[in-house]
Amino acid sequence: MFTLYVDDNYFSPYAMSAFVALTEKGAGFRLETVALGAGEQQQPPYGALSLTRRVPTLVEGAFRLSESSAIDEYLEECFPAPDYVALYPVSRTQRAKAREVQAWLRSDLGALRAERPTEVVFGGLRAEPLTREGQQAAEKLIAAADALLPEGQLHLFDRWSIADTDLALMLNRLVMNGDAVPARLAAYAGTQWQRPSVQRWLALSQPA
């Protein structure tokens, strides 16, 4: 049994990635929430659990692991295909590309993440028009997604991977705000959003 620590609003894209990974694997887990707005992540109890003092953090007995892509990869090793749903492609080169996408989405496009926060995706916020920097980041995202996604496919690779969830979330920062996104990329993001594991996360973020 795992414990996954996530933000109390269920707005973190990184917590969502780890949640989707656990759900896809069919792993038994329980959720604990951290009140980021109140600074709970900086307090000693959570600091003792999380090296980074961020969400998500995965706890398995005495083992603790933070950073969502590390959690995703750990779960892939704990529950390998074909007995469990694969989070990453079988091909070594495609696995490397999936990890490239994950690493890039977590380390770049800061202006877009700032101007299209996940409140747009999960909370229905409508944000102001993009600044020049935000527009440049949006154009970079769209160009990369267009290059990565094979024509006529709704997955980056031959089947779903966790990188699809992460990329769809980033695209939905634009789509759900009504920003211009090419139709095939919007369709891709919408299809990924219907995956049952994603829908389970979305149900958590909706007010009761």
Side-chain angles (χ1 to χ4, degrees):
M1 173 67 76
F2 296 94
T3 300
L4 183 67
Y5 286 81
V6 302
D7 60 300
D8 59 343
N9 290 325
Y10 304 99
F11 282 5
S12 167
Y14 314 116
M16 174 180 163
S17 185
F19 176 93
V20 167
L22 280 163
T23 303
E24 291 286 344
K25 289 297 187 184
F29 70 100
R30 65 187 181 92
L31 286 176
E32 292 285 349
T33 59
V34 182
L36 301 185
E40 188 178 350
Q41 71 276 21
Q42 302 298 337
Q43 300 305 312
Y46 191 67
L49 284 174
S50 174
L51 178 70
T52 61
R53 301 192 180 192
R54 303 200 296 183
V55 295
T57 290
L58 183 73
V59 174
E60 181 188 14
F63 178 64
R64 289 99 159 98
L65 185 65
S66 299
E67 298 302 305
S68 58
S69 58
I71 292 170
D72 293 346
E73 292 187 35
Y74 177 68
L75 293 171
E76 183 78 326
E77 294 184 8
C78 289
F79 305 96
D83 294 328
Y84 299 91
V85 172
L87 301 178
Y88 292 91
V90 173
S91 159
R92 181 171 61 187
T93 56
Q94 288 188 343
R95 281 200 310 274
K97 292 300 291 183
R99 289 168 175 149
E100 176 190 41
V101 170
Q102 287 192 293
W104 173 58
L105 292 174
R106 286 158 172 74
S107 62
D108 198 3
L109 309 175
L112 180 57
R113 285 186 276 116
E115 296 179 30
R116 295 293 180 269
T118 50
E119 285 82 355
V120 168
V121 178
F122 301 122
L125 175 72
R126 292 301 291 257
E128 296 294 324
L130 291 166
T131 65
R132 179 173 177 273
E133 291 78 12
Q135 186 61 44
Q136 287 176 338
E139 290 169 0
K140 184 177 183 180
L141 170 65
I142 288 169
D146 187 62
L148 285 164
L149 186 66
E151 191 69 42
Q153 290 187 206
L154 290 174
H155 301 301
L156 292 172
F157 308 106
D158 56 347
R159 63 186 68 181
W160 174 86
S161 76
I162 194 66
D164 286 302
T165 298
D166 291 346
L167 180 58
L169 191 150
M170 188 63 82
L171 287 167
N172 273 333
R173 293 173 186 266
L174 297 170
V175 173
M176 293 186 178
N177 196 67
D179 298 302
V181 175
R184 84 182 191 99
L185 297 184
Y188 161 78
T191 297
Q192 297 301 326
W193 227 235
Q194 295 308 309
R195 194 166 181 89
S197 56
V198 174
Q199 287 292 307
R200 283 185 61 182
W201 176 263
L202 295 177
L204 293 171
S205 68
Q206 302 306 309

